[in-house]
Amino acid sequence: MKVSTILIALTIISLYSCSTATKKTDITGTYVTQFKNDYSFTADTLIVTSEANSQTFNIERRTGFNKIRDGKTFPKEFKSKKWVSSYDAEKQLLQETELGKQISVLPEKQVLKLGDTEYQKVK
């Protein structure tokens, strides 16, 4: 009776440790930031989606900005870029190899950092 109880306890512990070790940080979602300086007002969005069962992520960056020249605000312009990144869980980085972009992942804050710019997760 004691042996079967011990075996059940060990099985539960090993299953629990396996499931927690393979948990993947969920970084998919939509992240936004905005900033203003003397030359423009910018609203920036990163949309992060994952490829099925892998550490590869598709990132789409959508930027809308209004140029400001001599105190006059011009109509909004838009840019969009897409790239593929791999996630390094140990360094908590999304790394894109072709252009060398690195995005720091701060999952506890639900924040991504591209350079000095922080993007807050909205969904």
Side-chain angles (χ1 to χ4, degrees):
M1 191 69 135
K2 282 185 174 184
V3 173
S4 62
T5 306
I6 292 172
L7 282 174
I8 291 171
L10 288 174
T11 304
I12 291 171
I13 290 170
S14 66
L15 288 174
Y16 178 75
S17 65
C18 288
S19 68
T20 56
T22 59
K23 279 186 182 176
K24 183 168 104 173
T25 302
D26 184 22
I27 56 176
T28 60
T30 303
Y31 298 80
V32 297
T33 192
Q34 53 185 336
F35 45 91
K36 183 177 181 176
N37 59 32
D38 293 339
Y39 304 102
S40 69
F41 173 76
T42 303
D44 213 359
T45 303
L46 294 177
I47 301 168
V48 180
T49 55
S50 70
E51 295 191 9
N53 299 322
S54 75
Q55 292 291 77
T56 303
F57 292 85
N58 297 309
I59 300 173
E60 182 178 3
R61 182 179 187 181
R62 296 179 184 172
T63 306
F65 59 95
N66 296 85
K67 291 180 182 175
I68 302 170
R69 301 293 184 266
D70 297 322
K72 182 180 177 188
T73 303
F74 287 83
K76 189 172 252 187
E77 298 178 43
F78 298 93
K79 287 184 183 179
S80 180
K81 293 185 179 185
K82 294 180 182 181
W83 65 88
V84 178
S85 297
S86 60
Y87 182 62
D88 184 335
E90 187 176 306
K91 295 179 183 177
Q92 291 190 316
L93 280 177
L94 282 166
Q95 298 177 316
E96 189 275 338
T97 55
E98 189 175 313
L99 301 172
K101 295 180 192 265
Q102 291 187 334
I103 299 174
S104 299
V105 178
L106 307 169
E108 65 282 350
K109 292 182 174 182
Q110 294 192 330
V111 167
L112 297 181
K113 282 184 75 172
L114 178 59
D116 290 335
T117 306
E118 284 192 3
Y119 293 79
Q120 186 66 47
K121 187 172 186 175
V122 292
K123 64 177 176 175

